[in-house]
Amino acid sequence: MQTIAITQGDPAGIGPEVVVKAFRDAPDALRGCFVAGDLATLRRAAQTIGHSGFPGLPVARISAPERALEMPPRCVPVLQLPGIPGPQPWGQIGAAAGRAAAASVLWAARAALRGEVAALVTAPLHKQSLAAAGLAFAGHTELLQAEAATHRGLALEQMPVRMMLVNDALRTVLLSVHVSLRDAIAALSFDRLLQTLHITHAALSRSLGKAPRMAVAGLNPHAGEGGLFGREEIEVIAPAIAAARAQGLDAQGPFAPDTVFMRARATPQHAAAFDVVIAMYHDQGLIPVKYLGLDRGVNVTLGLPLVRTSPDHGTAFDIAGQGVADATSLIEAVRMARALAAQPSSAHA
């Protein structure tokens, strides 16, 4: 069994808590996993869930990733990172919290790029704390993209990545991620959409074992209504879909964004018409996925030369330290990371 690194997340949020709860609630799924972070932060999290009416968990320091395989069930192995800030005040934005979260991600990413761990699962960080720490990244996706590009000796634009959100009912891939809506619209281009279709096709062909059926959402209401509500569908989106089809990809659309997600949803009564929806911007894709199952949603980064997944929720500062956060999404992220790492190709570009 290969090891999987779990980052501790922002120490002021629910990340450490959902990590220790995952070890408690799903010991079989967490076998061979360890936390890259700070021992005291994880021990505080374990005490927090103990105060919630559950027995506290043992949190053990390990000297190397492979030692995680020796740990008994429901014990949280922690690889102590040098110089990482310790526990931070619950629910507060701060530079120290941002540095701690980033240090955990950077160590895990570098270990995965060196082949020392099979995958990384990232607990949530807070983007404002990251910025307060002086790190010019909007979130995990951008930080990992930069680290992978540096590792490969590539320019950032030579390491294109996309965010895919998955739950039991729906998959969606985002054309743009953490930018304003105005900038997301400006980022829509023939080349970017065609590249997104190729990245999605390559990733899902591996995980599904077949070419994915890709639906492309329109940008405008009713997919532009023949140009009445905008011409992006006519001038950009439809030509990119046509180019993808000419290159052998199963891409269809553009479809009205208010109905395409329902068509792509799998239910016990109806099979999904598509395997994935390409969304034109962050909220267009995330709202339907989160509505259908926030507790089981998983974020997967496509295009990286490593496996990275994360739970589909944030730091939840409003409930941090109360022992009430739900670990289901993180457990699902671990399961998906393990499945992806087991695929024949280790390059998830």
Side-chain angles (χ1 to χ4, degrees):
M1 177 181 289
Q2 294 176 301
T3 57
I4 293 176
I6 303 176
T7 67
Q8 68 171 30
D10 189 306
I14 64 170
E17 175 188 335
V18 296
V19 169
V20 297
K21 279 188 175 180
F23 279 93
R24 181 195 71 190
D25 296 343
D28 291 339
L30 274 287
R31 176 75 174 149
C33 295
F34 68 96
V35 186
D38 173 64
L39 191 69
T41 296
L42 272 298
R43 283 181 172 163
R44 180 179 71 163
Q47 292 169 357
T48 298
I49 67 169
H51 293 326
S52 306
F54 299 102
L57 297 184
V59 178
R61 181 171 182 164
I62 59 173
S63 57
E66 58 270 20
R67 299 301 298 272
L69 297 168
E70 304 168 5
M71 294 294 107
R74 295 187 174 86
C75 176
V76 185
V78 178
L79 187 70
Q80 176 69 45
L81 301 183
I84 186 172
Q88 300 298 310
W90 296 117
Q92 294 186 23
I93 295 166
R99 285 196 302 274
S104 180
V105 176
L106 287 170
W107 184 93
R110 290 165 184 168
L113 289 165
R114 292 191 299 264
E116 296 170 2
V117 296
L120 65 149
V121 176
T122 56
L125 52 71
H126 199 287
K127 295 171 179 60
Q128 288 179 261
S129 292
L130 205 64
L135 294 158
F137 300 103
H140 281 115
T141 303
E142 296 83 358
L143 192 158
L144 291 167
Q145 177 190 23
E147 195 63 28
T150 299
H151 179 80
R152 289 285 182 91
L154 300 174
L156 200 60
E157 60 271 16
Q158 295 175 295
M159 182 63 67
V161 299
R162 297 294 186 270
M163 179 188 291
M164 179 171 71
L165 277 297
V166 183
N167 61 24
D168 294 339
L170 184 65
R171 296 182 191 89
T172 184
V173 173
L174 310 182
L175 191 70
S176 58
V177 189
H178 300 120
V179 296
S180 71
L181 182 56
R182 188 183 304 276
D183 289 343
I185 294 170
L188 171 61
S189 69
F190 174 93
D191 289 341
R192 186 173 182 85
L193 178 51
L194 183 58
Q195 184 182 65
T196 302
L197 289 166
H198 275 284
I199 291 171
T200 305
H201 172 85
L204 289 185
S205 291
R206 285 189 295 270
S207 60
L208 298 178
K210 66 181 182 72
R213 301 164 299 165
M214 299 181 290
V216 181
L219 173 69
N220 298 298
H222 304 182
E225 196 72 67
L228 290 176
F229 306 144
R231 296 191 58 81
E232 287 86 357
E233 287 78 9
I234 295 171
E235 297 174 358
V236 179
I237 300 174
I241 295 170
R245 292 182 65 83
Q247 295 166 10
L249 278 62
D250 185 354
Q252 301 178 49
F255 296 108
D258 59 350
T259 57
V260 67
F261 295 98
M262 290 184 283
R263 295 178 62 189
R265 179 188 181 188
T267 71
Q269 294 77 31
H270 301 285
F274 306 104
D275 297 305
V276 63
V277 178
I278 309 300
M280 294 298 101
Y281 55 92
H282 184 278
D283 284 12
Q284 186 189 60
L286 263 64
I287 289 172
V289 174
K290 292 188 174 184
Y291 177 78
L292 290 173
L294 179 62
D295 59 333
R296 304 188 73 85
V298 177
N299 175 5
V300 183
T301 305
L302 308 183
L304 291 172
L306 55 83
V307 173
R308 178 260 172 162
T309 67
S310 72
D312 185 19
H313 60 71
T315 52
F317 276 177
D318 57 324
I319 60 170
Q322 299 177 29
V324 297
D326 190 336
T328 304
S329 184
L330 189 125
I331 294 167
E332 292 301 313
V334 170
R335 289 184 172 129
M336 181 163 290
R338 198 179 297 283
L340 292 173
Q343 292 174 5
S345 174
S346 60
H348 293 264

